[in-house]
Amino acid sequence: GNSVTQMEGPVTLSEEAFLTINCTYTATGYPSLFWYVQYPGEGLQLLLKATKADDKGSNKGFEATYRKETTSFHLEKGSVQVSDSAVYFCASHYNQGGKLIFGQGTELSVKP
Amino acid sequence: DTAVSQTPKYLVTQMGNDKSIKCEQNLGHDTMYWYKQDSKKFLKIMFSYNNKELIINETVPNRFSPKSPDKAHLNLHINSLELGDSAVYFCASSQDSGVAAAGQYFGPGTRLTVT
């Protein structure tokens, strides 16, 4: 079946450090790919998305590129802030069925 | 204005009880969802309704019964609560169940604790 795998957390970084959170997917076909963010005590918010190969999603300084050849959608940010501390979820979606499939989430903690 | 709201935010109850969680969205969306997030943050879909009709029903015990009185509301009723039901339950909505289902709006969650 289709699945999404993320790197294990927690990830702890100092402010202004470079962030990468790895995400790979297994799929039959070409899903749309997403990153959602969950701040403490809140629901998930859509951070960015890419709907086809080589698309780059970006928002709030975060970026991710849909790589079909490596079935990956790694999340990156050049300089993290304390306010970026949250849990980040990678997800895939197929047009048929309307079901989002989430990775297990990666907790990010940014220290001042 | 809150787009997707859930009540209650916290629910503490004993094993064997029956409880309900309510969800409302004011976005005019056609599709609504219930997710369960366990203690390790793993998020899994339980149900989805499109215009009051059930379209996704994952492998969930039949003690869980969703009800959608109209397309703006999707409630979750749980019978005979068990310890393993303790989790955070999230409601979400999307414009439709097709392509737009990818851009889901989530509620703040209901933390259910069964003792």
Side-chain angles (χ1 to χ4, degrees):
Chain A
N2 302 322
S3 65
V4 175
T5 304
Q6 298 177 226
M7 62 186 283
E8 293 250 353
V11 173
T12 304
L13 295 173
S14 297
E15 214 166 15
E16 299 184 2
F18 185 86
L19 168 72
T20 301
I21 300 179
N22 290 341
C23 171
T24 57
Y25 66 92
T26 60
T28 51
Y30 304 104
S32 297
L33 300 172
F34 306 85
W35 279 99
Y36 278 80
V37 58
Q38 184 180 25
Y39 297 104
E42 298 184 11
L44 277 72
Q45 302 173 27
L46 179 63
L47 181 61
L48 54 85
K49 67 179 181 182
T51 56
K52 62 183 188 298
D54 300 325
D55 268 4
K56 178 187 281 188
S58 60
N59 186 24
K60 300 182 182 179
F62 290 90
E63 291 183 342
T65 301
Y66 190 145
R67 302 277 187 212
K68 187 176 69 172
E69 61 278 9
T70 54
T71 61
S72 65
F73 193 55
H74 305 322
L75 182 69
E76 296 181 336
K77 187 174 184 182
S79 175
V80 292
Q81 306 300 312
V82 172
S83 57
D84 294 327
S85 298
V87 181
Y88 291 81
F89 291 90
C90 187
S92 68
H93 176 266
Y94 290 85
N95 290 350
Q96 295 77 23
K99 190 163 66 171
L100 267 175
I101 297 170
F102 286 94
Q104 70 270 39
T106 302
E107 182 177 358
L108 170 65
S109 177
V110 181
K111 308 295 185 189
Chain B
D1 280 343
T2 305
V4 182
S5 58
Q6 297 178 225
T7 54
K9 190 169 174 61
Y10 300 97
L11 183 54
V12 181
T13 188
Q14 292 184 327
M15 283 173 56
N17 285 348
D18 304 337
K19 291 292 179 186
S20 291
I21 307 171
K22 296 187 176 182
C23 177
E24 176 181 1
Q25 54 93 5
N26 62 8
L27 297 165
H29 287 170
D30 284 347
T31 308
M32 296 183 73
Y33 311 80
W34 277 111
Y35 289 86
K36 179 180 180 181
Q37 186 176 49
D38 64 22
S39 58
K40 296 185 177 177
K41 301 287 188 184
F42 185 69
L43 199 65
K44 192 162 189 297
I45 190 165
M46 300 172 69
F47 302 103
S48 173
Y49 271 72
N50 185 63
N51 248 326
K52 301 193 298 175
E53 284 192 32
L54 182 67
I55 56 171
I56 293 175
N57 186 357
E58 292 294 288
T59 308
V60 174
N62 57 16
R63 297 183 294 104
F64 290 78
S65 51
K67 283 195 169 46
S68 183
D70 55 63
K71 72 175 191 177
H73 295 85
L74 180 61
N75 303 324
L76 183 64
H77 188 75
I78 316 170
N79 289 328
S80 303
L81 277 154
E82 299 177 357
L83 292 176
D85 297 331
S86 295
V88 181
Y89 292 84
F90 286 100
C91 177
S93 73
S94 63
Q95 193 168 348
D96 57 49
S97 60
V99 175
Q104 294 180 18
Y105 291 76
F106 281 76
T110 296
R111 182 174 293 278
L112 171 65
T113 304
V114 182
T115 61

